[in-house]
């Protein structure tokens, strides 16, 4: 073999090895590092959990606001019942004092209502 041919063959071999090395480097570079898939799954799961926790927090806040409104309504209804019971007592007292016709006897209190009328005196 002539030296020129040997040089050409060695240059060709070096070019081939370089090309194969470039392809291998590209393939290895595209692969994800070890555990990267698990890290990606973890971030997806934690993001989803954070959104769900935020949604649940908003729902709890709405329910608490509703509970406050219900409590205010119940308090107002309690006040109205007490006012009406007091007004009825004063009306009956006025009728007795004026010796007008006696009021009709009170209707029986249903068992379902009795626990709520403990302070009305029925």
């Amino acid at each position: 073999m002539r030296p020129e041919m040997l040089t050409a063959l060695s240059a060709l071999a070096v070019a081939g090895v370089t090309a194969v090395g470039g392809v291998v480097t590209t393939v290895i570079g595209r692969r994800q590092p070890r555990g990267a898939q698990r890290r990606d799954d973890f971030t997806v799961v934690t993001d989803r959990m954070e959104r769900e926790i935020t949604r649940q927090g908003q729902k709890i806040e709405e329910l608490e606001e509703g509970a406050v409104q219900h409590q205010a309504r119940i308090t107002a209804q309690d006040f109205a019942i007490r006012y009406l019971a007091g007004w009825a007592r004063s009306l009956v007292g006025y009728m007795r004092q004026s010796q007008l016709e006696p009021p009709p006897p009170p209707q029986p209190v249903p068992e379902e209502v009795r626990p709520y009328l403990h302070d009305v005196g029925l």
Side-chain angles (χ1 to χ4, degrees):
M1 275 198 165
R2 288 189 272 164
E4 298 92 24
M5 198 169 198
L6 243 130
T7 308
L9 280 177
S10 63
L12 186 62
V14 169
V17 168
T18 304
V20 169
V23 168
V24 169
T25 303
T26 303
V27 168
I28 290 174
R30 285 186 167 201
R31 285 188 359 187
Q32 292 183 348
R34 190 174 196 186
Q37 181 66 32
R38 277 183 263 138
R39 279 194 303 272
D40 291 344
D41 289 346
F42 180 75
T43 57
V44 167
V45 169
T46 53
D47 290 344
R48 190 176 305 148
M49 283 175 48
E50 189 168 328
R51 285 194 307 268
E52 182 64 20
I53 289 170
T54 304
R55 188 184 71 79
Q56 291 290 334
Q58 291 171 346
K59 187 174 183 179
I60 288 172
E61 288 175 2
E62 290 172 5
L63 290 173
E64 286 175 347
E65 290 173 3
V68 167
Q69 291 173 354
H70 291 304
Q71 186 63 40
R73 191 183 79 231
I74 290 170
T75 302
Q77 290 171 345
D78 180 49
F79 179 77
I81 290 172
R82 289 174 194 256
Y83 171 76
L84 291 173
W87 183 72
R89 279 196 196 114
S90 69
L91 184 60
V92 168
Y94 174 77
M95 290 175 71
R96 285 186 180 154
Q97 187 180 24
S98 301
Q99 297 183 353
L100 299 172
E101 182 179 325
Q107 295 179 352
V109 178
E111 289 299 320
E112 297 86 17
V113 177
R114 193 175 302 275
Y116 303 109
L117 298 178
H118 57 84
D119 57 344
V120 175
L122 296 176

